[in-house]
Amino acid sequence: MKIIAHRGASGYAPENTLSAFALAVKMGSKSFEFDVHLTRDKKLVVHHDYDLKRTAGNPAKISALDYAELKKINVGNKFGFPVERVPLLEEVLQLISHQAEWINFEVKNDGNVYPGIEAALLELVRSRPGLAGISLISSFDYGTLKRLRVLDNKIKLGYLGRHLRNLLLVPAIINARRIGAASFHIALRIAFGLNVALIHKAGLKVFVYTVNKKKDALRMQKIGVDGIFSNYPDILQK
Ligand code: G3P
Ligand code: MG
């Protein structure tokens, strides 16, 4: 079972920052997840929310800022880290690439708020030798996944189920297969043996978010999920 550093080692360092990724690397992570957005001047950056409210106490939206403005904002005031910036996606890749064996780019693009983000991401992924083969692109936004598939018929896609309940699982699996997804990502809340078996039966790998307790991680291992997203890369050693 893969232990995927979720937003870097975000249980120990400010999420989605270079410090969080550097720490995950130091802790030995080989699998990484982070969230991708696009600035007003079309730079791919790594941050979870669409705005800076939660991470910086600043209501500005990423889509309304050029990168030069965005990088002035401190998003790292947590765990005693004084200053951290929203990193460029390229900086994150630079930091993790020598060790990464599996990288999940989660594209935040609800309602296509970042037109062109799919092509920009694919261009970056294809530009680094060997990167496309270890990449998996996921999104909660089905339109984004569909556009990615039209632009690239080989890249691995991950279907992210939002507010999924047991009853909605089968239609969601059908949608995931429709875009040729390689994996299906579910919340811990619905990660039970029967659901996992159903998804596996459809030929999809199962990745579960977000697993931050050792007892849950052990249960996931037992029911045979392929990987867990965790803020604690050392979750099984805790
Ligand atoms: O990609 C898995 C997980 O990160 C999805 O939820 O909100 O943490 O991005 P979120
Ligand atoms: Mg995410």
Side-chain angles (χ1 to χ4, degrees):
M1 181 176 77
K2 284 187 200 310
I3 310 291
I4 305 153
H6 181 247
R7 311 181 196 174
S10 60
Y12 300 111
E15 64 182 53
N16 280 331
T17 64
L18 292 180
S19 289
F21 294 106
L23 186 58
V25 166
K26 197 167 155 204
M27 293 174 83
S29 292
K30 298 201 159 46
S31 306
F32 299 84
E33 186 266 3
F34 44 76
D35 310 287
V36 181
H37 295 252
L38 198 64
T39 60
R40 186 172 56 190
D41 56 341
K42 311 292 176 211
K43 299 273 190 291
L44 292 162
V45 293
V46 172
H47 190 259
H48 182 269
D49 301 352
Y50 290 86
D51 62 47
L52 286 297
K53 236 180 272 164
R54 183 175 57 85
T55 51
N58 181 330
K61 286 195 167 83
I62 293 176
S63 61
L65 297 173
D66 284 346
Y67 188 64
E69 300 167 293
L70 177 60
K71 77 173 185 201
K72 289 190 192 137
I73 300 172
N74 179 11
V75 292
N77 204 350
K78 212 178 166 189
F79 303 112
F81 286 71
V83 180
E84 291 289 332
R85 307 300 175 193
V86 171
L88 289 167
L89 174 53
E90 289 201 47
E91 296 176 305
V92 173
L93 291 175
Q94 195 65 35
L95 195 57
I96 66 175
S97 284
H98 67 285
Q99 191 163 298
E101 292 177 358
W102 191 91
I103 301 178
N104 180 190
F105 302 77
E106 188 199 330
V107 180
K108 297 289 193 201
N109 190 30
D110 287 357
N112 204 17
V113 65
Y114 301 122
I117 193 170
E118 302 88 352
L121 178 58
L122 287 169
E123 193 188 327
L124 177 59
V125 165
R126 291 171 184 149
S127 72
R128 296 178 73 104
L131 181 57
I134 60 165
S135 294
L136 172 76
I137 307 181
S138 64
S139 185
F140 280 114
D141 186 73
Y142 194 59
T144 299
L145 292 176
K146 284 199 284 191
R147 285 186 292 277
L148 282 160
R149 180 51 79 226
V150 169
L151 291 169
D152 191 316
N153 61 11
K154 287 215 183 70
I155 194 80
K156 284 202 263 328
L157 297 179
Y159 182 97
L160 257 167
R162 177 179 273 157
H163 309 313
L164 267 186
R165 275 168 285 132
N166 296 337
L167 274 178
L168 299 174
L169 201 55
V170 170
I173 291 172
I174 292 169
N175 279 339
R177 285 184 51 107
R178 209 171 264 156
I179 47 131
S183 55
F184 195 92
H185 305 188
I186 56 173
L188 179 61
R189 173 175 58 74
I190 59 160
F192 299 105
L194 277 179
N195 289 344
V196 170
L198 197 66
I199 300 166
H200 275 158
K201 215 169 137 204
L204 299 159
K205 289 196 187 303
V206 181
F207 297 111
V208 178
Y209 63 91
T210 305
V211 182
N212 286 329
K213 292 196 181 117
K214 185 175 182 179
K215 72 168 180 13
D216 291 325
L218 292 171
R219 184 171 68 83
M220 293 303 104
Q221 205 164 36
K222 205 161 157 195
I223 63 175
V225 311
D226 300 281
I228 56 170
F229 298 98
S230 180
N231 300 351
Y232 302 97
D234 57 348
I235 188 161
L236 289 177
Q237 283 99 58
K238 273 149 88 91

